[in-house]
Amino acid sequence: MLNNQSFIPLLLSLIAGMSTLIGAFIVFFSKSQNKKLITFALSFSAGVMITVSFTDLFASAEETLTKHNGNLNGVLYTLLFLIIGAVMALLIDKFIPDNSPNIKGGKGNKLYRVGFVSMIALMIHNFPEGVATFVSGYENTTLGISIAIAIALHNIPEGISIAMPIYYSTQSKSKAFKYTLLSGLAEPIGALLAFLFLRPFINDIILAITFAIVAGIMLYISFAELIPTARQYGYSKIYVLSVFLGICIIPLSHIYVH
């Protein structure tokens, strides 16, 4: 039954998920294709995804799996699921059509693929985050609020990583918001399913495996899609500074967890 104990964490997960749309608002300030802004957005997103993968997802998965399986097996299992995630991202990338409506080939098509694969990866990423927000908020409202704030701060730059390439490849703000919204909705959907069905089955092992797989997906996107595409535009200083800015944002967001 829906009561305050359940409603508050569901609301927190919705707020955290919808914060992804804040990142998409940057499209309103883009009247034309600005190559420097594209370089910044892609590089910044790569820094965010790489850091989230190693400081949050991989570290959390490794801690749980080593606790249950010992140091050696725990690390090996974490690496195995990381590789599985990277292979999944490779397969997703292979099955995305080379041509999409309203895209003028070349770099525009490449940008569309970057945005689409990022959306898929972040949907998978946001789903267990929604579960985690609900479970933590259900047990402890204060803890749930702290986690929701941290996730919301994570989600803003992640929204940029979807909206910017979609907008610049299609010149459609509505598509940029639609794709970003789909990614953000995975979070409250995860919380809702946790409330309705998953509570008896969720455990730390399942979450750890999911986190390791998502880390592999996000690392593949960063190294195979975001970084190569950003470097194509030739603004090397913007590229380097933006990657480091993305790397720095996530540790700063961790301040709000405590």
Side-chain angles (χ1 to χ4, degrees):
M1 180 178 289
L2 187 62
N3 51 32
N4 279 345
Q5 186 181 10
S6 301
F7 176 75
I8 291 174
L10 287 172
L11 179 62
L12 289 173
S13 68
L14 177 63
I15 293 171
M18 291 303 97
S19 68
T20 307
L21 289 174
I22 297 174
F25 270 103
I26 195 170
V27 301
F28 284 129
F29 301 99
S30 307
K31 295 181 180 179
S32 61
Q33 191 176 77
N34 184 324
K35 293 179 180 179
K36 289 183 179 180
L37 188 57
I38 297 175
T39 301
F40 167 80
L42 295 177
S43 305
F44 178 77
S45 300
V48 168
M49 285 195 180
I50 291 168
T51 309
V52 167
S53 296
F54 283 121
T55 64
D56 292 1
L57 301 174
F58 187 90
S60 177
E62 184 182 40
E63 180 182 1
T64 300
L65 292 174
T66 52
K67 182 173 70 175
H68 287 273
N69 300 283
N71 286 337
L72 177 61
N73 287 337
V75 171
L76 291 177
Y77 285 145
T78 309
L79 289 172
L80 172 63
F81 290 113
L82 180 84
I83 293 169
I84 289 172
V87 171
M88 287 172 60
L90 173 64
L91 294 174
I92 291 170
D93 201 14
K94 292 288 185 185
F95 285 105
I96 295 175
D98 285 332
N99 297 305
S100 187
N102 304 320
I103 296 177
K104 299 177 181 178
K107 291 181 181 177
N109 184 64
K110 178 69 172 176
L111 282 174
Y112 178 83
R113 292 169 66 86
V114 167
F116 188 86
V117 176
S118 296
M119 180 195 70
I120 298 296
L122 290 172
M123 285 179 71
I124 300 172
H125 175 207
N126 288 343
F127 183 84
E129 278 189 350
V131 173
T133 303
F134 176 81
V135 172
S136 59
Y138 189 82
E139 297 295 329
N140 184 326
T141 301
T142 303
L143 176 62
I145 292 171
S146 298
I147 290 175
I149 291 171
I151 289 174
L153 291 171
H154 281 58
N155 284 351
I156 293 170
E158 289 173 1
I160 295 173
S161 71
I162 300 170
M164 289 300 294
I166 294 296
Y167 172 63
Y168 276 129
S169 61
T170 64
Q171 294 299 304
S172 170
K173 291 179 181 178
S174 62
K175 285 186 178 179
F177 273 91
K178 181 177 75 173
Y179 280 62
T180 309
L181 177 63
L182 287 173
S183 171
L185 283 175
E187 200 135 333
I189 288 172
L192 184 61
L193 290 178
F195 168 66
L196 295 175
F197 307 111
L198 300 180
R199 275 180 292 177
F201 307 105
I202 297 170
N203 58 52
D204 53 353
I205 295 291
I206 297 298
L207 289 175
I209 291 171
T210 304
F211 288 153
I213 290 173
V214 171
I217 293 173
M218 294 177 72
L219 289 173
Y220 174 88
I221 292 169
S222 298
F223 292 118
E225 301 283 355
L226 294 173
I227 289 176
T229 306
R231 289 175 65 96
Q232 286 179 5
Y233 292 94
Y235 298 101
S236 57
K237 290 182 180 178
I238 294 175
Y239 157 72
V240 172
L241 290 173
S242 302
V243 169
F244 274 96
L245 180 60
I247 289 170
C248 293
I249 283 291
I250 299 306
L252 288 173
S253 74
H254 290 166
I255 295 170
Y256 293 92
V257 177
H258 304 292

